[in-house]
Amino acid sequence: MKTKTVFICQNCGTQSPKWLGRCPGCGEWNSLVEEIEGADGAAAGSDYSFPTSEPVLYRDIKETKNPRLEVKIDEFNKVIGGGVVLGSVTLIGGEPGIGKSTLLLQVSRDFALDGQKVLYVSGEESLEQIKLRGDRLGVRDGQLYLLAETSLERILAQAEKIMPRILVLDSVQTVFSGNLASSPGTISQVREVANQMFRFSKRNQVSTFLIGHITKEGSLAGPKSLEHMVDVVLLFEGERDHSHRVLRALKNRFGPVSELAIFEMAASGLQAIANPSAFFLKERPAHAAGSSVAVTIKGSRPLLVEIQALVSSTLFSSNPRRMTVGLDHYRTAMLLAVIEKKLGYGFAGDDIYLNVAGGLAIDEPAADLGAALAVVSCLKNVPLPQSLASFGEVGLSGEIRSVGLALARVKEAAALGFTTVVLPRSNAVGLERDTPAGVTLLAAASLKQAIDLVF
Ligand code: TYD
Ligand code: MG
């Protein structure tokens, strides 16, 4: 009998009977991979289910407060909404080398020390390798079991035997089910693995963490296609050449997704950074033109970052460069146009570089004012006052628009010793009352006014 094959997009899971250069589902190029339909049929990933299957009257459903296990790493605990829910499945994605195994081994260590039974399954590293890392992380006592295995069926058999409270699977891409003929890491395998783990977790009230590798573009080889199956999706991000890592929730069936934690990769593992603003400002140069401090919001908390601008005359005057790192490119282009038009600066023949120090990416317009102040400070070659911070969105007519969480931003600036905060006038109304002592608010309705107030 001829084996049946099907082409599956490794990005979104769309199936096609024949190979296509471009996925009709998500538009990704070269993402279709031929997979053999196995005994269960390829990509049968959607038939996960709960143990009960009887309809129940709504009013008869008992209210349960989801019991949670607290994670010792406070910041991690906050991100997942105040503890790991029993029987929940959490997918944690991130680029290779970012620190996923490290983080989960630390979490496992803490649970084990806390008297919980933990099973850490690795399909990537040998037991000796994991132990080597564990020694650095201070893993010692407790019921932490390690298993180096890639067969899903054998993993489940061991898990049934040990019956841990917490199970870590590192990673979904390396584990495969014998039921399917396709190779490990393909979308049908990844789905089957997640599917089986999901059922195991729900059936036995085991909290499971699935580690998934994702690429810079977002998703190659499937974790993206698991997002709908699991209860919680966490993303672990960072730049390779910076030591900080950001953990945030993309989806959480048991809590908000607004919290975010920042860690630093140190010699003894990941350390939570309790005061991220101070961390990101610690290397800020004193009295340098082109440097400004913006108060942004990351997750639900304010964060101070340094924005640096450099304007230099270009060698190729017909094609000046506009480079941004950590800021949105299009927003910055718009902002520069506003500065030219509304403030009367001419830099058509100059290269302009904007950078968020520390490698953080800012994705809210409230950093506009900070970016504009950095550019103007560089153009004037006059440093901004060292103790000045700012926030506000800049509109196309040069107006400064209000942003959310103004008071929280002012308070964070005050907490870090900033004495002057430039902010949208509409935000300043009524804010004086709550402003911490010693902080002066400079309210501006337009960029022009802000510049006049500051310089
Ligand atoms: P790892 O957790 O293996 O990443 P992932 O599982 O996401 O692929 O960690 C990656 C990097 O972290 C590795 O290059 C070494 C570094 N590291 C430290 O700097 N300190 C440590 O204590 C540990 C365990 C790792
Ligand atoms: Mg790893």
Side-chain angles (χ1 to χ4, degrees):
M1 199 186 83
K2 199 167 166 286
T3 40
K4 232 184 131 197
T5 64
V6 57
F7 292 85
I8 302 179
C9 171
Q10 302 297 303
N11 190 44
C12 71
T14 299
Q15 297 189 29
S16 160
K18 60 179 200 302
W19 190 82
L20 298 168
R22 188 177 194 194
C23 170
C26 64
E28 188 74 22
W29 290 94
N30 286 324
S31 61
L32 267 66
V33 169
E34 185 171 25
E35 296 191 19
I36 303 158
E37 282 199 343
D40 280 352
S46 51
D47 69 329
Y48 59 92
S49 57
F50 290 93
T52 57
S53 50
E54 295 272 310
V56 179
L57 261 185
Y58 182 88
R59 60 153 198 257
D60 291 345
I61 298 172
K62 278 201 284 300
E63 240 180 88
T64 51
K65 265 200 63 149
N66 285 321
R68 289 176 185 264
L69 288 178
E70 238 172 72
V71 184
K72 278 281 157 50
I73 306 169
D74 221 26
E75 304 285 306
F76 191 108
N77 207 49
K78 264 189 230 154
V79 172
I80 54 175
V84 183
V85 173
L86 282 187
S88 65
V89 180
T90 302
L91 173 69
I92 170 161
E95 283 176 55
I98 210 73
K100 301 180 295 297
S101 304
T102 306
L103 184 64
L104 266 305
L105 196 56
Q106 285 179 246
V107 169
S108 302
R109 169 200 67 192
D110 294 344
F111 276 128
L113 281 177
D114 213 28
Q116 307 290 349
K117 205 189 266 185
V118 184
L119 176 60
Y120 188 105
V121 184
S122 178
E124 309 203 327
E125 291 159 305
S126 67
L127 297 182
E128 292 71 26
Q129 270 174 304
I130 303 170
K131 193 168 165 59
L132 215 59
R133 174 186 289 133
D135 286 345
R136 283 217 276 159
L137 301 176
V139 180
R140 271 178 305 272
D141 295 330
Q143 297 200 71
L144 171 57
Y145 292 87
L146 298 183
L147 174 66
E149 180 59 79
T150 53
S151 153
L152 178 64
E153 285 72 26
R154 284 202 287 266
I155 291 169
L156 286 171
Q158 292 301 330
E160 293 274 0
K161 219 189 300 172
I162 289 185
M163 205 40 89
R165 189 89 287 188
I166 309 282
L167 194 155
V168 178
L169 191 69
D170 187 1
S171 63
V172 281
Q173 273 107 341
T174 46
V175 174
F176 68 97
S177 160
N179 291 340
L180 300 182
S182 41
S183 38
T186 52
I187 204 155
S188 19
Q189 281 289 1
V190 167
R191 279 187 181 177
E192 177 67 12
V193 170
N195 188 3
Q196 297 278 355
M197 295 312 295
F198 188 91
R199 291 199 211 185
F200 174 80
S201 291
K202 298 291 163 194
R203 209 167 43 230
N204 302 299
Q205 289 289 292
V206 175
S207 305
T208 303
F209 288 95
L210 304 174
I211 294 181
H213 293 293
I214 57 176
T215 56
K216 198 114 207 149
E217 295 74 41
S219 70
L220 216 68
K224 197 102 198 151
S225 70
L226 303 182
E227 285 181 7
H228 70 282
M229 292 190 193
V230 299
D231 298 311
V232 182
V233 179
L234 302 178
L235 197 61
F236 202 37
E237 303 170 293
E239 297 292 327
R240 226 168 254 273
D241 34 3
H242 286 102
S243 61
H244 75 271
R245 304 281 181 263
V246 178
L247 180 73
R248 62 194 171 93
L250 294 183
K251 162 183 172 178
N252 191 347
R253 283 184 181 151
F254 315 108
V257 289
S258 53
E259 286 301 334
L260 153 159
I262 300 176
F263 293 91
E264 185 174 18
M265 185 58 101
S268 56
L270 290 152
Q271 311 290 336
I273 298 172
N275 189 344
S277 294
F279 176 79
F280 286 108
L281 291 181
K282 70 174 184 242
E283 284 170 79
R284 187 181 164 218
H287 309 293
S291 155
S292 96
V293 172
V295 194
T296 67
I297 298 285
K298 273 273 176 192
S300 65
R301 76 163 141 211
L303 179 66
L304 275 74
V305 292
E306 181 197 353
I307 299 181
Q308 306 174 322
L310 182 66
V311 181
S312 72
S313 52
T314 174
L315 287 175
F316 313 99
S317 60
S318 62
N319 197 8
R321 287 217 251 185
R322 301 284 184 260
M323 297 278 279
T324 61
V325 178
L327 289 168
D328 182 67
H329 191 76
Y330 295 103
R331 252 211 106 72
T332 306
M334 208 168 81
L335 191 65
L336 293 174
V338 172
I339 295 174
E340 268 196 307
K341 188 87 183 166
K342 300 292 169 185
L343 301 179
Y345 286 103
F347 39 71
D350 294 329
D351 289 336
I352 300 182
Y353 303 91
L354 274 159
N355 175 38
V356 179
L360 214 68
I362 297 178
D363 44 16
E364 62 153 9
D368 287 354
L369 184 54
L373 290 178
V375 171
V376 173
S377 155
C378 182
L379 288 167
K380 285 184 185 286
N381 201 19
V382 176
L384 290 159
Q386 194 72 7
S387 59
L388 179 140
S390 70
F391 62 89
E393 176 181 346
V394 175
L396 279 184
S397 356
E399 82 276 19
I400 297 183
R401 301 165 153 266
S402 64
V403 298
L405 300 172
L407 184 60
R409 295 181 201 250
V410 170
K411 284 188 169 161
E412 176 76 359
L416 277 128
F418 287 82
T419 53
T420 311
V421 178
V422 193
L423 77 174
R425 192 164 68 195
S426 38
N427 274 136
V429 181
L431 211 63
E432 270 89 359
R433 217 166 13 100
D434 304 313
T435 302
V439 175
T440 311
L441 298 182
L442 296 181
S446 69
L447 192 51
K448 173 124 194 9
Q449 196 187 359
I451 302 293
D452 291 343
L453 283 169
V454 170
F455 292 98

